[in-house]
Amino acid sequence: MKVLEFAGRWLSPVREAPDGIPVNPRTSWFGLIWVPLAALAIGLAWVMSPLNQQMSTSLYDISVRTVARQAHFDDVVVIDIDDASLRDLRPRLGGWPYSRDTFALLISFLREVGAGPIALNLVFSEPREGDDVLANSLAARPDVVLAAVGQPSGGELAPQPSDPLRRRVALNSAGGLPSARWAEIVMPDNQLLSALSQAGVVGAVGVVTAQLDDDGMLRRLSLLHEADGLVYPSMALAPRLLAKAGSMDRLARETDAVSHGPQRWPINAAGQVTLILPSNRDAVPRLAFSNVMEAALGIRDRADLRALLKGRTVFIGSSAFLADDVLTPFGRISGTALLACSHAALERSLVLAPPKPWVAAGFAAIALSPSMLLWLRRRPMFRDDSLASLAALVLVLAGGLATLARGRIEVELLLPLVIVAAGFLIASLLQLRWSGIVNRRLRIEHAMAEAANQAKTEFLANVSHEIRTPMNALLGVAELLQRTPLNEEQQRYVAVFQRSGQTLFELINDQLDLSKIEAGRLDLSHGPFSLARLLADQQVLLKTRAIGKGLELRWTVLGEVPDAVIGDRRRLEQVLTNLVGNAIKFTAAGFVSVEVSQTAAGTRFEVTDTGIGIGADQHLRIFQPFIQADGSTTRQYGGTGLGLSIANGLVRRMGGTISVRSEPDKGSTFAFCIPLARAESADGPGLRSLTPNWQPETRLPTVRTSAHQRKPIRILLTEDNEVNVLLVESMLRDADCTLDVATNGETALAKFYGGDYDLILMDIQMPGIDGHQTTREIRRIEAAERRRPVTVIALTAHAFERDVQRSLEAGCNQHLTKPVSRDALLAAIEIHRDNAAAKAEAGVERA
């Protein structure tokens, strides 16, 4: 992999900016022109490599086998002198080699049954018994071709007939025709050759030797063979020349072919033809030599052979000798059968033309097309490059086979295939490099986004803190002012003051929640709680708003909804408050109902109203931030459009789904379902106690009345803001407590060390030692001096979940968020007053 990455880096034209951040890998229009040029160069280099020939021939063999078809040639027949025939004829003809008069008898029989030209694929180069009888038979009719053998240079040459006899059987019209060259061609015996020459016909001698490829396989056949300036036809061609000896047909040289009469055979530069041979072995009928000889001897009926031999060119050879087999792309084939098939193919012009330059150029263009597309696209794309390379590969293979089968033209497929592979390899290396650069850029951008997110979170926390601090003073003073004697007009002004401040406070909370949801930083706090208590609290909380608009607020629980569940109580409350609050806000008359039921997916909540409704085209948009179904609703009903977006985010964060059903002027139904696991127990009134008129106790916890419990508690307030100090002092003025103030952490520690406080109200963000450090030091002092633990309540503008967790981890007993109301502050003090009294009664005193 590292090698590929290095190659991709070296090949890639992509560069990086001076600051190290990757630039856009898309190059200029000429930037990747080198890709097709490199693919072509690799292909040409491969052609010149030693491996090219071996792989090209293997690919050629596969191609010809793929396009080969079965055939049955009815104009030729093979008489095979096989091992079985030699055994069967031994009693009558003796052992091999037979006397030459045996073949004279065979020739006479074949002439009698009406056979065509007879090709003896047997070398009669030495005198034998019966030559005179065979010579007479040959001289009687010019229809027999005897075999000649080409000898390469350096071999031991057999005695040859005189030059005049060889010239008389050589071709006299082959001048200028390319041919296979031999050091010598071994001709038939002088007596037999003399008998052939007396007839004076062309094609009486045919060369049976073929020039094989380096791997010993015969793929192409030479039509003509030359030695000592004399040219002789191949045994496959000789019967045709012999049969046409009486006509004016002559072999003629064309630009890239040899013609004989109407037949035209394309040849390569060496004068070889590539024949289209059949895929089946039984294309040429085969007769056993014993059957034919028994008919010739009068032992077997001749009638059954007459139909098989009449008018057919007969090839006689022997498969009893291993040297007769020839290796071809279709496997080993008997040499005689191959000559017969080759003769039939020449008669039908089943010949492949040599490779054409324009065909090779066309396939090279197809092979280069993926690289050309990459160049035009100016950037790598693995999917597109893979598909383009695959398409080019298929086109090359399919086109090559079609050209071979239909066009009868040889095709060099290896070069285009190598070009396709080279182009794909280069594209892959470029893609690897490009992916690395893109991934690096994404990592940098991700890190930048994380940093921006972190900065945004910190900014929002700081803004929240800075806004909540004065907001605490504004709402607190408004609350205190409302408790003073005011006339009706002043009460109205204070109410507007409070309502506007509360609206701004809710907007700040909504914006912070939305930011945390979008950043994926909203943490859930799962724990057991009473679903009944939650619904009852929501009923009380929202009932006043519904009554104020003259609406009926219904609460219904259906089915087996568990009383005690596990989940995030505060976030569930937030969703219900948003949905029910929206329903009340957008409903002018009628009712708002909340229905709770248990389904297989979880606990389902449905909030239905009889309000203005929402058009179907707005159902998806309303869950987006700052979106309301109709812009006019903002002016008429107010709001920022964050409530539904926050509800949607919270429901999804809790693993649930939310949906809406609504029509204009027909009300809306918002439903959400979240999985709430059953808990063993949780305090609450029980779900069946919920009725539209039920209200929970809202009184503060009843405190004990003993003298020890009712004595004023000592409270230490650590706060560096003078306005907030004044506000807390005013809120606690009528409370049964004494208040001491420390303006920073150091002062708070000094006062705590020398005093005996029941409760500490701890601001968190202070100069010097902050509230968390101060609380930790207090807990350390308590542990070291075995003091009674004092209650510490964080009173801060830090409002995030992580802020609450940090306060609890520092040792605080509770976390109150500014702005805090007087009732909430007194309730917290009363709860912890009870705890302090209980500890005092148990004897947990200062050591």
Side-chain angles (χ1 to χ4, degrees):
M1 181 58 70
K2 291 185 177 179
V3 174
L4 290 178
E5 290 179 355
F6 173 78
R9 184 181 297 273
W10 182 77
L11 288 172
S12 176
V14 181
R15 297 293 180 263
E16 295 181 0
D19 59 0
I21 298 178
V23 298
N24 191 338
R26 192 177 179 90
T27 65
S28 64
W29 194 74
F30 290 100
L32 293 176
I33 187 62
W34 64 269
V35 174
L37 296 178
L40 180 61
I42 292 174
L44 294 176
W46 178 268
V47 169
M48 293 183 289
S49 69
L51 293 176
N52 177 68
Q53 184 61 36
Q54 179 180 355
M55 295 190 67
S56 292
T57 53
S58 298
L59 186 60
Y60 169 80
D61 294 343
I62 295 173
S63 301
V64 296
R65 286 197 296 267
T66 302
V67 302
R69 297 292 181 266
Q70 291 191 357
H72 295 280
F73 300 134
D74 55 1
D75 56 343
V76 291
V77 66
V78 171
I79 297 177
D80 184 20
I81 305 175
D82 55 359
D83 290 326
S85 296
L86 294 178
R87 289 195 303 269
D88 293 343
L89 293 176
R90 178 177 293 276
R92 294 182 175 83
L93 302 180
W96 184 265
Y98 295 141
S99 171
R100 300 276 169 80
D101 55 4
T102 301
F103 298 102
L105 177 61
L106 176 60
I107 292 172
S108 298
F109 171 73
L110 295 175
R111 289 170 177 169
E112 181 182 348
V113 297
I118 303 168
L120 280 168
N121 184 24
L122 300 170
V123 182
F124 296 151
S125 59
E126 297 178 357
R128 294 278 183 181
E129 180 184 354
D131 279 345
D132 53 343
V133 179
L134 179 58
N136 292 333
S137 179
L138 297 176
R141 186 187 299 180
D143 58 356
V144 179
V145 182
L146 294 184
V149 179
Q151 289 276 3
S153 60
E156 182 179 351
L157 303 180
Q160 293 297 298
S162 61
D163 189 63
L165 289 178
R166 287 185 291 156
R167 288 183 179 276
R168 295 178 66 177
V169 295
L171 298 179
N172 55 12
S173 60
L177 292 176
S179 56
R181 297 183 180 275
W182 302 96
E184 184 64 67
I185 295 179
V186 179
M187 303 297 288
D189 175 62
N190 192 55
Q191 185 176 2
L192 301 179
L193 189 61
S194 176
L196 293 175
S197 64
Q198 291 179 11
V201 295
V202 177
V205 173
V207 178
V208 297
T209 313
Q211 292 180 329
L212 305 178
D213 292 339
D214 293 339
D215 58 355
M217 189 174 293
L218 179 65
R219 294 183 178 87
R220 294 168 183 85
L221 185 68
S222 297
L223 291 178
L224 303 175
H225 300 262
E226 179 183 355
D228 297 331
L230 299 178
V231 179
Y232 304 93
S234 166
M235 179 64 85
L237 176 61
R240 175 180 174 81
L241 301 180
L242 189 66
K244 302 290 184 178
S247 67
M248 299 300 294
D249 291 340
R250 296 290 186 270
L251 287 174
R253 171 71 182 270
E254 298 182 13
T255 304
D256 55 355
V258 172
S259 63
H260 185 256
Q263 304 296 340
R264 183 180 180 278
W265 305 303
I267 59 173
N268 60 15
Q272 296 174 316
V273 294
T274 304
L275 299 173
I276 303 176
L277 299 178
S279 59
N280 54 314
R281 297 293 184 91
D282 59 347
V284 176
R286 175 184 171 278
L287 297 176
F289 180 70
S290 58
N291 293 339
V292 180
M293 282 305 300
E294 287 176 354
L297 293 171
I299 301 174
R300 179 188 293 271
D301 184 14
R302 301 183 178 186
D304 58 340
L305 295 177
R306 186 181 299 274
L308 292 174
L309 296 170
K310 185 176 182 179
R312 297 194 181 195
T313 301
V314 179
F315 284 81
I316 303 172
S318 175
S319 63
F321 306 101
L322 294 177
D324 185 61
D325 286 345
V326 180
L327 185 61
T328 70
F330 299 95
R332 290 193 173 276
I333 301 176
S334 166
T336 307
L338 180 60
L339 288 173
C341 282
S342 301
H343 172 76
L346 289 174
E347 288 292 331
R348 293 164 174 78
S349 293
L350 298 178
V351 179
L352 294 176
K356 303 293 183 182
W358 58 270
V359 175
F363 282 110
I366 294 174
L368 284 171
S369 59
S371 300
M372 296 294 291
L373 291 175
L374 172 58
W375 165 47
L376 295 175
R377 196 189 314 121
R378 296 190 290 166
R379 56 163 285 186
M381 296 178 65
F382 184 77
R383 178 177 175 274
D384 292 352
D385 292 331
S386 300
L387 291 177
S389 299
L390 180 60
L393 182 67
V394 172
L395 285 176
V396 167
L397 292 176
L401 295 178
T403 303
L404 197 66
R406 300 291 183 179
R408 294 185 179 180
I409 300 175
E410 289 188 68
V411 181
E412 294 288 348
L413 293 180
L414 189 59
L415 174 60
L417 293 181
V418 171
I419 292 176
V420 172
F424 178 70
L425 177 61
I426 294 173
S428 299
L429 293 175
L430 288 177
Q431 176 66 35
L432 186 65
R433 170 64 172 154
W434 182 83
S435 298
I437 290 177
V438 171
N439 289 336
R440 184 181 173 190
R441 187 202 307 147
L442 290 176
R443 286 194 297 270
I444 293 174
E445 291 176 353
H446 180 72
M448 294 173 63
E450 285 289 328
N453 248 343
Q454 183 64 27
K456 176 182 176 182
T457 302
E458 292 175 358
F459 172 76
L460 288 174
N462 291 332
V463 168
S464 171
H465 180 274
E466 296 304 321
I467 292 178
R468 286 172 184 271
T469 298
M471 187 66 64
N472 182 54
L474 290 174
L475 293 179
V477 169
E479 183 181 5
L480 293 174
L481 186 60
Q482 194 178 38
R483 295 176 178 272
T484 63
L486 300 173
N487 60 35
E488 184 177 350
E489 183 177 5
Q490 290 172 331
Q491 286 282 0
R492 186 167 62 252
Y493 292 159
V494 172
V496 172
F497 188 19
Q498 282 185 305
R499 188 164 56 250
S500 298
Q502 190 64 34
T503 300
L504 180 58
F505 178 55
E506 291 174 357
L507 175 59
I508 294 171
N509 287 336
D510 286 347
Q511 184 59 58
L512 291 174
D513 282 340
L514 180 62
S515 299
K516 287 187 286 185
I517 291 172
E518 290 178 344
R521 296 178 179 271
L522 182 71
D523 296 325
L524 299 180
S525 179
H526 289 282
F529 66 91
S530 169
L531 184 59
R533 172 60 65 185
L534 182 149
L535 297 175
D537 291 347
Q538 288 291 302
Q539 182 184 31
V540 173
L541 176 66
L542 297 166
K543 181 178 181 180
T544 304
R545 295 171 60 181
I547 294 175
K549 295 191 66 175
L551 302 176
E552 180 185 358
L553 184 58
R554 305 172 182 173
W555 296 79
T556 308
V557 178
L558 302 177
E560 296 299 325
V561 179
D563 288 345
V565 295
I566 298 176
D568 191 323
R569 185 183 194 278
R570 190 168 74 86
R571 296 304 181 184
L572 180 55
E573 284 180 336
Q574 190 174 356
V575 175
L576 282 173
T577 301
N578 277 333
L579 295 183
V580 180
N582 266 2
I584 294 173
K585 179 167 63 173
F586 293 108
T587 303
F591 66 89
V592 173
S593 71
V594 181
E595 184 178 283
V596 186
S597 60
Q598 190 67 25
T599 67
T603 306
R604 179 180 175 84
F605 301 81
E606 283 195 4
V607 180
T608 304
D609 63 65
T610 56
I612 60 176
I614 306 169
D617 58 333
Q618 302 293 328
H619 285 183
L620 294 179
R621 296 182 66 248
I622 59 175
F623 290 107
Q624 300 176 10
F626 306 105
I627 296 294
Q628 290 188 340
D630 185 351
S632 63
T633 60
T634 302
R635 297 186 297 271
Q636 182 177 355
Y637 297 97
T640 61
L642 293 177
L644 289 179
S645 177
I646 293 173
N648 179 42
L650 291 175
V651 168
R652 293 185 181 278
R653 188 73 177 84
M654 289 187 287
T657 58
I658 189 169
S659 61
V660 60
R661 300 191 310 273
S662 182
E663 295 182 27
D665 301 324
K666 294 185 178 180
S668 306
T669 297
F670 286 86
F672 68 94
C673 183
I674 57 174
L676 295 175
R678 292 178 180 268
E680 293 183 0
S681 64
D683 295 334
L687 287 171
R688 298 301 166 267
S689 68
L690 288 180
T691 65
N693 298 319
W694 184 89
Q695 296 184 16
E697 287 289 333
T698 57
R699 297 190 305 271
L700 294 176
T702 302
V703 297
R704 299 171 188 174
T705 58
S706 68
H708 175 77
Q709 291 173 326
R710 295 310 303 164
K711 71 178 182 178
I713 63 172
R714 298 192 62 193
I715 299 176
L716 175 61
L717 171 64
T718 61
E719 175 63 65
D720 63 330
N721 188 289
E722 294 180 0
V723 176
N724 286 336
V725 171
L726 175 62
L727 182 64
V728 173
E729 287 178 342
S730 299
M731 288 182 174
L732 300 182
R733 183 172 299 157
D734 297 332
D736 192 11
C737 64
T738 61
L739 186 66
D740 200 359
V741 178
T743 58
N744 53 55
E746 292 87 348
T747 304
L749 287 175
K751 290 192 174 188
F752 169 76
Y753 194 80
D756 185 14
Y757 296 99
D758 300 299
L759 187 143
I760 299 177
L761 298 176
M762 182 72 68
D763 186 25
I764 299 301
Q765 188 165 321
M766 296 185 298
I769 302 177
D770 64 18
H772 290 153
Q773 292 175 300
T774 304
T775 303
R776 290 191 186 94
E777 183 62 18
I778 289 173
R779 298 308 184 200
R780 188 192 68 79
I781 294 172
E782 290 173 345
E785 300 185 0
R786 300 179 62 82
R787 289 192 179 195
R788 172 176 56 85
V790 66
T791 299
V792 180
I793 299 177
L795 184 60
T796 176
H798 292 296
F800 288 146
E801 287 288 342
R802 58 186 177 87
D803 297 322
V804 177
Q805 188 63 31
R806 289 175 61 189
S807 295
L808 297 178
E809 290 174 354
C812 296
N813 299 90
Q814 189 174 351
H815 185 99
L816 291 181
T817 303
K818 298 175 183 176
V820 62
S821 66
R822 180 176 182 273
D823 289 342
L825 180 59
L826 291 177
I829 291 174
E830 288 298 327
I831 290 174
H832 293 292
R833 183 203 296 268
D834 288 350
N835 293 338
K839 291 177 181 178
E841 285 185 353
V844 184
E845 299 293 343
R846 179 176 177 178

